[in-house]
């Protein structure tokens, strides 16, 4: 729950980043991406971010129940004059910055008004924690015509100001299954006439857990045969259709090079690192199945202050000093990507579907 709150707060800051930037000169001169970080660190912007984050954190809501959070999002959008669609996927909000004409780029985070040829799509997604909210957003047709999408996740064990990701496979897929082991009943006094499924189930658990999950690197492929037959039992495994199966998170190769370039200009090249794949799952992968997408980790640990617990720990804390970094990166990724599209793909005058 708290991980999602950080992502949502990053959305709001981008509104003010773009707004502040346009008071000086058009932000389409976005090659100097470090300006986004400087703006994000302005005291009034930082204080506003913290205020919003704390409002959301004080009222946590579960998947598809984010009614007050969604209301807060819409209130801030209304204040800033940002048009949006609501409801999308129950509590989702899809907002638009720009001309509402192609090319489109989406961020599952937040941004503010920017006079540019192109549209930034703000994806306020519900139910990331196991509910498959990303799939519902896609099924609602809310992201048609989007050229690319970016997302981030906080990383409490990475130093603040550091980002980490990789090209290709990043996170694992996930799903739910049910295993049924069948034996033969009998009397405890004559066990030789029964086939004990409890013993077989115990054997399966020990066999699966002992070597595969405790001794082997989860990134190494492993095979184990069905252990129920050793105990003369039958076993069936069924993957459950009533819960969404999350595909692996696979970062687009070209967007990886692009991310490294932009993040390097914002943070410095030594702050952008490659890491090994992780065995967690992320429903951002649903977007990547239909849209070129890129997901990255944002460091927020300051060991001089305290060591942070993992995101699913009840002792997890958000280091709010990380908010400007995430916001500046989102703003830079969106603005520069639209510049890149216009440089690489000249607009062809023809009939097309203009609106998202």
């Amino acid at each position: 729950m708290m991980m999602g709150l950080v992502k949502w707060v990053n959305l709001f800051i981008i509104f003010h980043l773009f707004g502040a930037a346009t008071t000086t000169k058009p932000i389409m001169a976005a090659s100097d991406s470090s300006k986004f970080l400087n703006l994000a660190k302005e005291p009034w912007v930082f204080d506003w971010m913290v205020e919003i984050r704390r409002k959301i954190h004080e009222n946590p809501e579960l998947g598809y129940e984010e009614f007050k959070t969604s209301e807060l999002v819409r209130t801030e959008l209304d204040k800033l004059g940002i048009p949006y669609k609501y409801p999308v996927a129950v509590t989702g909000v899809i907002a638009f910055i720009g001309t509402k004409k192609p090319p489109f780029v989406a961020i599952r985070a937040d941004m503010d008004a920017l006079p540019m040829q192109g549209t930034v799509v703000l994806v306020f997604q519900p139910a990331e924690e196991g509910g498959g909210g990303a799939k519902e957003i896609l099924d609602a047709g809310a992201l048609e015509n989007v050229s690319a999408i970016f997302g981030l996740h906080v990383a409490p064990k990475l130093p603040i100001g550091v980002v980490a990701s990789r090209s290709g496979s990043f996170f694992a897929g996930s799903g739910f299954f049910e295993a049924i082991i069948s034996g033969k009943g009998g009397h405890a006094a004559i066990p030789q006439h029964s086939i004990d499924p409890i013993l077989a189930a115990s054997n399966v658990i020990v066999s699966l857990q002992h070597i595969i999950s405790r001794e082997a690197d989860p990134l190494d492929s492993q095979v184990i045969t069905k252990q129920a037959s050793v105990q003369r039992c039958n076993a069936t495994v069924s993957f459950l259709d009533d819960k969404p199966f999350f595909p692996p998170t696979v970062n687009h190769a070209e967007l990886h090079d692009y991310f490294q370039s932009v993040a390097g200009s914002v943070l410095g090249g030594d702050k952008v690192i490659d890491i090994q794949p992780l065995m967690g799952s992320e429903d951002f992968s649903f977007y990547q199945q239909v849209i070129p997408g890129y997901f990255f980790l944002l460091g927020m640990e300051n060991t001089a202050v305290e060591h942070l617990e993992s995101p699913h720990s009840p002792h997890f804390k958000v280091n709010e000093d990380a908010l400007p970094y995430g916001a500046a990166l989102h703003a830079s990724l969106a603005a520069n990507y639209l510049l890149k599209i216009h440089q690489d793909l000249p607009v062809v005058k023809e009939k097309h579907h203009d609106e998202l």
Side-chain angles (χ1 to χ4, degrees):
M1 174 63 67
M2 298 178 72
M3 296 179 291
L5 303 183
V6 177
K7 300 176 194 172
W8 285 51
V9 171
N10 277 325
L11 285 156
F12 289 112
I13 177 56
I14 297 172
F15 300 149
H16 283 282
L17 291 185
F18 283 147
T22 53
T23 61
T24 55
K25 62 180 180 179
I27 211 162
M28 283 307 291
S31 57
D32 185 6
S33 297
S34 61
K35 291 183 178 179
F36 283 113
L37 183 57
N38 293 333
L39 285 168
K41 288 183 175 181
E42 287 285 338
W44 67 273
V45 177
F46 178 77
D47 291 343
W48 180 82
M49 278 196 297
V50 170
E51 179 185 0
I52 294 295
R53 190 199 77 81
R54 292 179 180 178
K55 282 183 180 178
I56 297 174
H57 180 65
E58 287 169 1
N59 297 282
E61 297 171 300
L62 298 178
Y64 299 113
E65 298 176 5
E66 308 94 338
F67 297 104
K68 289 190 178 297
T69 307
S70 180
E71 181 181 3
L72 175 61
V73 168
R74 301 193 307 275
T75 297
E76 295 300 323
L77 291 171
D78 289 336
K79 289 178 182 177
L80 294 164
I82 307 278
Y84 57 85
K85 290 181 181 179
Y86 172 83
V88 180
V90 186
T91 54
V93 182
I94 304 295
F96 310 94
I97 297 174
T99 61
K100 297 190 74 174
K101 296 181 179 180
F104 297 100
V105 61
I107 292 180
R108 196 181 65 176
D110 0 16
M111 294 229 167
D112 195 8
L114 174 64
M116 64 171 71
Q117 299 301 314
T119 304
V120 175
V121 183
L122 311 177
V123 184
F124 298 87
Q125 180 209 303
E128 184 272 335
E129 293 290 346
K135 187 176 186 302
E136 295 296 323
I137 292 287
L138 290 170
D139 290 345
L143 296 186
E144 294 177 0
N145 299 325
V146 167
S147 299
I149 185 168
F150 300 92
L152 68 82
H153 196 296
V154 293
K157 298 305 179 185
L158 275 179
I160 190 167
V162 171
V163 290
S165 192
R166 62 180 282 108
S167 178
S169 298
F170 191 14
F171 291 157
S174 70
F176 297 87
F177 67 89
E178 179 182 70
I180 298 176
I181 297 175
S182 304
K184 179 183 177 182
H187 196 283
I190 46 174
Q192 70 273 22
H193 296 306
S194 65
I195 301 175
D196 189 355
I198 297 177
L199 179 60
S202 301
N203 187 56
V204 168
I205 293 171
V206 171
S207 298
L208 290 174
Q209 294 291 87
H210 181 61
I211 297 296
I212 298 298
S213 70
R214 292 300 180 265
E215 300 296 333
D217 188 328
L219 297 178
D220 294 335
S221 298
Q222 306 289 334
V223 175
I224 186 169
T225 56
K226 283 292 184 286
Q227 293 292 302
S229 59
V230 175
Q231 304 295 328
R232 298 182 297 144
C233 289
N234 295 319
T236 59
V237 177
S238 303
F239 285 89
L240 304 180
D241 296 329
D242 58 337
K243 293 187 177 181
F245 178 86
F246 289 15
T249 302
V250 181
N251 279 337
H252 194 273
E254 291 183 9
L255 290 182
H256 177 66
D257 295 336
Y258 168 74
F259 170 78
Q260 288 188 311
S261 174
V262 173
S265 67
V266 175
L267 306 173
D270 61 325
K271 303 295 185 182
V272 184
I273 62 175
D274 281 345
I275 59 173
Q276 291 297 308
L278 302 172
M279 292 305 294
S281 63
E282 167 59 61
D283 82 343
F284 186 84
S285 57
F286 286 111
Y287 299 127
Q288 292 174 315
Q289 288 189 312
V290 296
I291 304 168
Y294 195 84
F295 200 77
F296 62 97
L297 299 178
L298 176 70
M300 65 174 189
E301 184 178 50
N302 184 350
T303 54
V305 178
E306 62 180 332
H307 291 279
L308 300 176
E309 299 294 332
S310 66
H312 285 245
S313 165
H315 304 292
F316 175 70
K317 263 180 86 174
V318 172
N319 180 2
E320 294 169 332
D321 290 339
L323 297 178
Y325 295 94
L329 283 167
H330 268 329
S332 299
L333 288 167
N336 282 287
Y337 190 80
L338 291 174
L339 276 175
K340 181 178 181 297
I341 289 177
H342 282 284
Q343 292 169 354
D344 297 346
L345 300 173
V347 177
V348 178
K349 293 183 179 180
E350 59 179 345
K351 292 183 179 180
H352 52 68
H353 179 62
D354 286 341
E355 296 190 359
L356 187 67

